[in-house]
């Protein structure tokens, strides 16, 4: 059985395949430090990869932080606090809204921008990407016939 792995800052791994979602210890955040004063924050790495797919940009110039669980939010604060602007791509659920509020409280000198409004009809960014891809496939399958007189 094959799985995709995403390494965290402490050497642990987040692991996924269609039938499995798990992690190895130690559980921690994943940061990508490009020396920017702006960072993005995601709850999980699938949403981070979804963002990269939506932007068609595998190497963003700004920093990125993947919490690997909202329970890791406080572990991310030291890294996030070095940034003037924090773009939050958190889930559209209770846990995501609470995490956003904690983020705003924990980063008084940073501008925290809630990006979840762009996928407000979806629980998370990956769900939005999947629907967008599904719509594109449906459009391609529409017949492109001409009116015959």
């Amino acid at each position: 059985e094959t799985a995709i792995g995403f390494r965290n800052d402490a050497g642990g791994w987040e692991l996924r395949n269609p039938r499995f979602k798990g992690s190895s210890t130690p559980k921690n955040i994943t940061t990508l430090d490009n020396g920017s004063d702006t960072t993005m924050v995601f709850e999980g790495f699938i949403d981070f990869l979804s963002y990269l797919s939506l932007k068609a940009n595998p190497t963003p110039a700004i920093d990125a932080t993947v919490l690997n669980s909202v329970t890791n939010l406080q572990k991310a604060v030291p890294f996030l606090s070095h940034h003037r602007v924090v773009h939050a791509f958190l889930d559209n659920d209770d846990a995501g809204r609470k995490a956003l509020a904690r983020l705003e409280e924990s980063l008084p000198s940073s501008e925290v921008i809630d990006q979840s409004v762009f996928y407000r009809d979806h629980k998370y960014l990956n769900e939005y990407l999947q629907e967008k891809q599904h719509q594109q496939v449906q459009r391609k399958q529409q017949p492109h016939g001409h009116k015959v007189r």
Side-chain angles (χ1 to χ4, degrees), residues 10-54:
W13 291 86
E14 295 298 312
L15 304 166
R16 300 289 183 280
N17 77 19
R19 290 179 292 288
F20 176 77
K21 179 179 178 178
S23 58
S24 70
T25 55
K27 186 100 169 139
N28 209 323
I29 64 168
T30 304
T31 56
L32 301 170
D33 189 349
N34 294 315
S36 174
D37 68 347
T38 302
T39 188
M40 301 172 287
V41 61
F42 301 88
E43 282 189 39
F45 83 91
I46 296 295
D47 285 330
F48 174 61
L49 296 176
S50 297
Y51 171 85
L52 297 179
S53 294
L54 284 162

Short mmCIF file of all heavy atoms in Angstrom, two decimals, residues 10-54:
data_model
loop_
_atom_site.label_atom_id
_atom_site.label_comp_id
_atom_site.label_asym_id
_atom_site.label_seq_id
_atom_site.Cartn_x
_atom_site.Cartn_y
_atom_site.Cartn_z
N ALA A 10 9.77 18.47 13.08
CA ALA A 10 10.41 17.67 14.11
C ALA A 10 10.84 16.29 13.60
O ALA A 10 11.30 15.45 14.37
CB ALA A 10 9.46 17.51 15.31
N GLY A 11 10.67 16.05 12.28
CA GLY A 11 11.08 14.78 11.70
C GLY A 11 9.98 13.73 11.61
O GLY A 11 10.21 12.64 11.12
N GLY A 12 8.79 14.05 12.10
CA GLY A 12 7.65 13.14 11.95
C GLY A 12 7.04 13.31 10.56
O GLY A 12 7.44 14.17 9.79
N TRP A 13 6.06 12.46 10.27
CA TRP A 13 5.44 12.48 8.95
C TRP A 13 3.93 12.47 9.05
O TRP A 13 3.36 11.78 9.88
CB TRP A 13 5.86 11.25 8.15
CG TRP A 13 7.30 11.26 7.76
CD1 TRP A 13 8.36 10.82 8.51
CD2 TRP A 13 7.87 11.74 6.54
NE1 TRP A 13 9.54 11.01 7.83
CE2 TRP A 13 9.26 11.56 6.62
CE3 TRP A 13 7.31 12.31 5.39
CZ2 TRP A 13 10.11 11.93 5.59
CZ3 TRP A 13 8.17 12.66 4.36
CH2 TRP A 13 9.55 12.47 4.46
N GLU A 14 3.28 13.22 8.15
CA GLU A 14 1.84 13.13 7.92
C GLU A 14 1.69 12.20 6.72
O GLU A 14 2.35 12.40 5.70
CB GLU A 14 1.25 14.50 7.59
CG GLU A 14 1.34 15.49 8.73
CD GLU A 14 0.56 15.06 9.96
OE1 GLU A 14 -0.61 14.65 9.82
OE2 GLU A 14 1.13 15.12 11.06
N LEU A 15 0.85 11.19 6.85
CA LEU A 15 0.71 10.18 5.81
C LEU A 15 -0.73 10.10 5.32
O LEU A 15 -1.65 10.13 6.12
CB LEU A 15 1.14 8.81 6.36
CG LEU A 15 2.57 8.77 6.94
CD1 LEU A 15 2.77 7.50 7.77
CD2 LEU A 15 3.58 8.85 5.82
N ARG A 16 -0.91 9.99 3.99
CA ARG A 16 -2.25 9.91 3.41
C ARG A 16 -2.25 8.97 2.22
O ARG A 16 -1.31 8.93 1.43
CB ARG A 16 -2.73 11.28 2.89
CG ARG A 16 -2.81 12.39 3.90
CD ARG A 16 -3.94 12.22 4.90
NE ARG A 16 -4.01 13.37 5.80
CZ ARG A 16 -3.23 13.54 6.85
NH1 ARG A 16 -2.30 12.67 7.14
NH2 ARG A 16 -3.40 14.60 7.62
N ASN A 17 -3.35 8.25 2.09
CA ASN A 17 -3.72 7.60 0.84
C ASN A 17 -5.25 7.56 0.84
O ASN A 17 -5.87 8.01 1.81
CB ASN A 17 -3.02 6.24 0.64
CG ASN A 17 -3.60 5.10 1.46
OD1 ASN A 17 -4.73 5.16 1.94
ND2 ASN A 17 -2.83 4.04 1.61
N PRO A 18 -5.88 7.06 -0.20
CA PRO A 18 -7.36 7.13 -0.23
C PRO A 18 -8.05 6.46 0.96
O PRO A 18 -9.17 6.81 1.30
CB PRO A 18 -7.71 6.43 -1.55
CG PRO A 18 -6.52 6.65 -2.42
CD PRO A 18 -5.34 6.59 -1.47
N ARG A 19 -7.38 5.50 1.60
CA ARG A 19 -8.02 4.78 2.70
C ARG A 19 -7.39 5.04 4.07
O ARG A 19 -7.81 4.46 5.06
CB ARG A 19 -8.00 3.27 2.43
CG ARG A 19 -8.94 2.88 1.30
CD ARG A 19 -8.90 1.40 1.00
NE ARG A 19 -7.64 0.94 0.43
CZ ARG A 19 -7.25 1.19 -0.81
NH1 ARG A 19 -7.99 1.90 -1.62
NH2 ARG A 19 -6.11 0.72 -1.27
N PHE A 20 -6.37 5.89 4.14
CA PHE A 20 -5.65 6.06 5.40
C PHE A 20 -5.24 7.51 5.61
O PHE A 20 -4.75 8.16 4.70
CB PHE A 20 -4.39 5.17 5.39
CG PHE A 20 -3.51 5.34 6.59
CD1 PHE A 20 -3.84 4.76 7.81
CD2 PHE A 20 -2.35 6.08 6.51
CE1 PHE A 20 -3.03 4.91 8.92
CE2 PHE A 20 -1.52 6.25 7.61
CZ PHE A 20 -1.87 5.66 8.82
N LYS A 21 -5.45 7.99 6.83
CA LYS A 21 -5.00 9.32 7.23
C LYS A 21 -4.35 9.15 8.59
O LYS A 21 -5.01 8.80 9.56
CB LYS A 21 -6.21 10.26 7.31
CG LYS A 21 -5.86 11.67 7.74
CD LYS A 21 -7.10 12.55 7.79
CE LYS A 21 -6.74 13.93 8.27
NZ LYS A 21 -7.89 14.82 8.29
N GLY A 22 -3.04 9.37 8.64
CA GLY A 22 -2.35 9.18 9.91
C GLY A 22 -1.06 9.97 9.96
O GLY A 22 -0.75 10.75 9.05
N SER A 23 -0.31 9.75 11.01
CA SER A 23 0.96 10.45 11.16
C SER A 23 1.88 9.62 12.02
O SER A 23 1.45 8.73 12.76
CB SER A 23 0.74 11.82 11.80
OG SER A 23 0.12 11.68 13.05
N SER A 24 3.18 9.92 11.91
CA SER A 24 4.16 9.29 12.79
C SER A 24 4.62 10.34 13.79
O SER A 24 4.48 11.54 13.55
CB SER A 24 5.34 8.77 11.97
OG SER A 24 6.11 9.84 11.47
N THR A 25 5.12 9.90 14.90
CA THR A 25 5.60 10.84 15.91
C THR A 25 7.02 11.27 15.55
O THR A 25 7.74 10.52 14.87
CB THR A 25 5.58 10.19 17.31
OG1 THR A 25 6.32 8.98 17.27
CG2 THR A 25 4.16 9.92 17.75
N PRO A 26 7.45 12.42 16.00
CA PRO A 26 6.67 13.39 16.77
C PRO A 26 5.75 14.21 15.87
O PRO A 26 6.10 14.54 14.74
CB PRO A 26 7.74 14.27 17.40
CG PRO A 26 8.91 14.20 16.47
CD PRO A 26 8.85 12.82 15.85
N LYS A 27 4.57 14.52 16.40
CA LYS A 27 3.59 15.34 15.68
C LYS A 27 4.01 16.81 15.82
O LYS A 27 4.32 17.26 16.91
CB LYS A 27 2.21 15.11 16.31
CG LYS A 27 1.09 15.77 15.57
CD LYS A 27 0.36 14.77 14.69
CE LYS A 27 -0.92 15.40 14.17
NZ LYS A 27 -1.16 15.08 12.79
N ASN A 28 4.04 17.52 14.71
CA ASN A 28 4.50 18.91 14.76
C ASN A 28 4.00 19.67 13.53
O ASN A 28 3.38 19.10 12.66
CB ASN A 28 6.03 18.98 14.86
CG ASN A 28 6.53 20.21 15.59
OD1 ASN A 28 5.97 21.29 15.46
ND2 ASN A 28 7.61 20.06 16.34
N ILE A 29 4.35 20.95 13.47
CA ILE A 29 4.02 21.78 12.32
C ILE A 29 5.08 21.60 11.23
O ILE A 29 6.17 21.07 11.49
CB ILE A 29 3.94 23.28 12.72
CG1 ILE A 29 5.29 23.79 13.20
CG2 ILE A 29 2.86 23.50 13.75
CD1 ILE A 29 5.38 25.31 13.35
N THR A 30 4.75 22.07 10.03
CA THR A 30 5.70 22.11 8.93
C THR A 30 5.80 23.56 8.46
O THR A 30 4.78 24.18 8.19
CB THR A 30 5.23 21.23 7.75
OG1 THR A 30 5.01 19.89 8.22
CG2 THR A 30 6.24 21.22 6.62
N THR A 31 7.01 24.09 8.42
CA THR A 31 7.20 25.46 7.96
C THR A 31 8.10 25.48 6.73
O THR A 31 9.04 24.70 6.63
CB THR A 31 7.82 26.36 9.05
OG1 THR A 31 9.04 25.77 9.50
CG2 THR A 31 6.88 26.53 10.24
N LEU A 32 7.75 26.37 5.81
CA LEU A 32 8.58 26.61 4.63
C LEU A 32 9.00 28.07 4.71
O LEU A 32 8.19 28.97 4.53
CB LEU A 32 7.79 26.33 3.35
CG LEU A 32 7.25 24.91 3.23
CD1 LEU A 32 6.29 24.79 2.06
CD2 LEU A 32 8.39 23.93 3.07
N ASP A 33 10.26 28.28 5.04
CA ASP A 33 10.78 29.62 5.30
C ASP A 33 11.55 30.13 4.10
O ASP A 33 12.66 29.67 3.81
CB ASP A 33 11.66 29.60 6.55
CG ASP A 33 12.06 30.99 7.02
OD1 ASP A 33 11.83 31.97 6.29
OD2 ASP A 33 12.60 31.08 8.14
N ASN A 34 10.94 31.08 3.38
CA ASN A 34 11.59 31.69 2.22
C ASN A 34 12.10 33.10 2.55
O ASN A 34 12.44 33.85 1.66
CB ASN A 34 10.60 31.75 1.04
CG ASN A 34 10.23 30.38 0.54
OD1 ASN A 34 11.09 29.53 0.37
ND2 ASN A 34 8.96 30.15 0.31
N GLY A 35 12.11 33.44 3.84
CA GLY A 35 12.60 34.74 4.26
C GLY A 35 11.63 35.88 3.97
O GLY A 35 12.03 37.04 3.92
N SER A 36 10.35 35.56 3.80
CA SER A 36 9.35 36.57 3.48
C SER A 36 8.75 37.16 4.75
O SER A 36 8.77 36.52 5.81
CB SER A 36 8.25 35.91 2.64
OG SER A 36 7.19 36.82 2.41
N ASP A 37 8.17 38.35 4.65
CA ASP A 37 7.46 38.91 5.81
C ASP A 37 5.98 38.56 5.76
O ASP A 37 5.18 39.02 6.56
CB ASP A 37 7.65 40.44 5.89
CG ASP A 37 6.96 41.20 4.77
OD1 ASP A 37 6.53 40.56 3.77
OD2 ASP A 37 6.85 42.43 4.87
N THR A 38 5.61 37.70 4.80
CA THR A 38 4.24 37.23 4.64
C THR A 38 4.25 35.71 4.66
O THR A 38 5.14 35.07 4.08
CB THR A 38 3.65 37.72 3.29
OG1 THR A 38 3.71 39.15 3.28
CG2 THR A 38 2.22 37.27 3.10
N THR A 39 3.26 35.13 5.34
CA THR A 39 3.14 33.67 5.36
C THR A 39 1.69 33.27 5.15
O THR A 39 0.77 34.06 5.35
CB THR A 39 3.68 33.05 6.67
OG1 THR A 39 3.72 31.62 6.54
CG2 THR A 39 2.82 33.41 7.87
N MET A 40 1.52 32.04 4.72
CA MET A 40 0.20 31.43 4.63
C MET A 40 0.15 30.36 5.72
O MET A 40 1.17 29.76 6.04
CB MET A 40 0.01 30.75 3.28
CG MET A 40 0.15 31.70 2.10
SD MET A 40 0.16 30.83 0.51
CE MET A 40 1.79 30.06 0.53
N VAL A 41 -1.04 30.12 6.28
CA VAL A 41 -1.18 29.05 7.27
C VAL A 41 -2.35 28.16 6.85
O VAL A 41 -3.43 28.66 6.48
CB VAL A 41 -1.32 29.60 8.71
CG1 VAL A 41 -2.54 30.47 8.89
CG2 VAL A 41 -1.32 28.47 9.73
N PHE A 42 -2.10 26.85 6.88
CA PHE A 42 -3.08 25.84 6.49
C PHE A 42 -3.23 24.84 7.63
O PHE A 42 -2.27 24.56 8.35
CB PHE A 42 -2.60 25.08 5.24
CG PHE A 42 -2.37 25.96 4.05
CD1 PHE A 42 -1.14 26.58 3.85
CD2 PHE A 42 -3.37 26.17 3.11
CE1 PHE A 42 -0.92 27.39 2.76
CE2 PHE A 42 -3.16 27.00 2.01
CZ PHE A 42 -1.93 27.61 1.83
N GLU A 43 -4.42 24.25 7.76
CA GLU A 43 -4.61 23.22 8.80
C GLU A 43 -3.86 21.95 8.44
O GLU A 43 -3.26 21.31 9.29
CB GLU A 43 -6.10 22.92 8.99
CG GLU A 43 -6.80 23.98 9.81
CD GLU A 43 -8.21 23.59 10.21
OE1 GLU A 43 -8.45 22.41 10.55
OE2 GLU A 43 -9.07 24.48 10.19
N GLY A 44 -3.93 21.54 7.16
CA GLY A 44 -3.31 20.28 6.76
C GLY A 44 -2.58 20.41 5.43
O GLY A 44 -2.80 21.36 4.67
N PHE A 45 -1.74 19.43 5.15
CA PHE A 45 -0.90 19.54 3.95
C PHE A 45 -1.69 19.32 2.66
O PHE A 45 -1.30 19.83 1.61
CB PHE A 45 0.34 18.65 4.04
CG PHE A 45 0.17 17.21 3.67
CD1 PHE A 45 0.38 16.78 2.36
CD2 PHE A 45 -0.17 16.26 4.62
CE1 PHE A 45 0.26 15.45 2.02
CE2 PHE A 45 -0.28 14.93 4.29
CZ PHE A 45 -0.07 14.52 2.98
N ILE A 46 -2.81 18.62 2.73
CA ILE A 46 -3.62 18.45 1.52
C ILE A 46 -4.18 19.81 1.08
O ILE A 46 -4.22 20.12 -0.11
CB ILE A 46 -4.75 17.41 1.74
CG1 ILE A 46 -4.14 16.01 2.01
CG2 ILE A 46 -5.71 17.38 0.56
CD1 ILE A 46 -3.38 15.38 0.86
N ASP A 47 -4.58 20.64 2.05
CA ASP A 47 -5.04 21.99 1.70
C ASP A 47 -3.90 22.84 1.14
O ASP A 47 -4.10 23.64 0.22
CB ASP A 47 -5.69 22.69 2.91
CG ASP A 47 -7.08 22.15 3.19
OD1 ASP A 47 -7.77 21.70 2.25
OD2 ASP A 47 -7.49 22.17 4.36
N PHE A 48 -2.70 22.67 1.69
CA PHE A 48 -1.54 23.39 1.15
C PHE A 48 -1.28 22.97 -0.29
O PHE A 48 -1.09 23.82 -1.18
CB PHE A 48 -0.31 23.13 2.03
CG PHE A 48 0.97 23.70 1.48
CD1 PHE A 48 1.11 25.06 1.27
CD2 PHE A 48 2.05 22.88 1.19
CE1 PHE A 48 2.30 25.60 0.74
CE2 PHE A 48 3.23 23.41 0.68
CZ PHE A 48 3.35 24.76 0.46
N LEU A 49 -1.30 21.67 -0.55
CA LEU A 49 -1.09 21.18 -1.93
C LEU A 49 -2.23 21.65 -2.84
O LEU A 49 -1.99 21.97 -4.01
CB LEU A 49 -0.98 19.65 -1.94
CG LEU A 49 0.23 19.07 -1.20
CD1 LEU A 49 0.18 17.54 -1.21
CD2 LEU A 49 1.54 19.57 -1.78
N SER A 50 -3.44 21.72 -2.31
CA SER A 50 -4.58 22.23 -3.08
C SER A 50 -4.36 23.68 -3.48
O SER A 50 -4.64 24.09 -4.61
CB SER A 50 -5.88 22.10 -2.28
OG SER A 50 -6.16 20.75 -2.01
N TYR A 51 -3.85 24.48 -2.52
CA TYR A 51 -3.54 25.88 -2.81
C TYR A 51 -2.52 25.97 -3.96
O TYR A 51 -2.70 26.76 -4.89
CB TYR A 51 -3.00 26.57 -1.56
CG TYR A 51 -2.46 27.95 -1.84
CD1 TYR A 51 -3.30 29.06 -1.87
CD2 TYR A 51 -1.10 28.15 -2.11
CE1 TYR A 51 -2.81 30.32 -2.15
CE2 TYR A 51 -0.60 29.41 -2.40
CZ TYR A 51 -1.46 30.49 -2.41
OH TYR A 51 -0.97 31.73 -2.71
N LEU A 52 -1.48 25.17 -3.88
CA LEU A 52 -0.45 25.20 -4.93
C LEU A 52 -1.05 24.82 -6.28
O LEU A 52 -0.70 25.39 -7.30
CB LEU A 52 0.71 24.27 -4.57
CG LEU A 52 1.49 24.62 -3.30
CD1 LEU A 52 2.59 23.58 -3.06
CD2 LEU A 52 2.08 26.01 -3.36
N SER A 53 -1.97 23.86 -6.28
CA SER A 53 -2.64 23.45 -7.53
C SER A 53 -3.52 24.57 -8.07
O SER A 53 -3.51 24.84 -9.27
CB SER A 53 -3.51 22.21 -7.29
OG SER A 53 -2.71 21.10 -6.97
N LEU A 54 -4.27 25.22 -7.19
CA LEU A 54 -5.14 26.31 -7.62
C LEU A 54 -4.34 27.46 -8.21
O LEU A 54 -4.76 28.09 -9.18
CB LEU A 54 -5.98 26.82 -6.44
CG LEU A 54 -7.16 25.93 -6.05
CD1 LEU A 54 -7.64 26.27 -4.64
CD2 LEU A 54 -8.29 26.08 -7.05
#
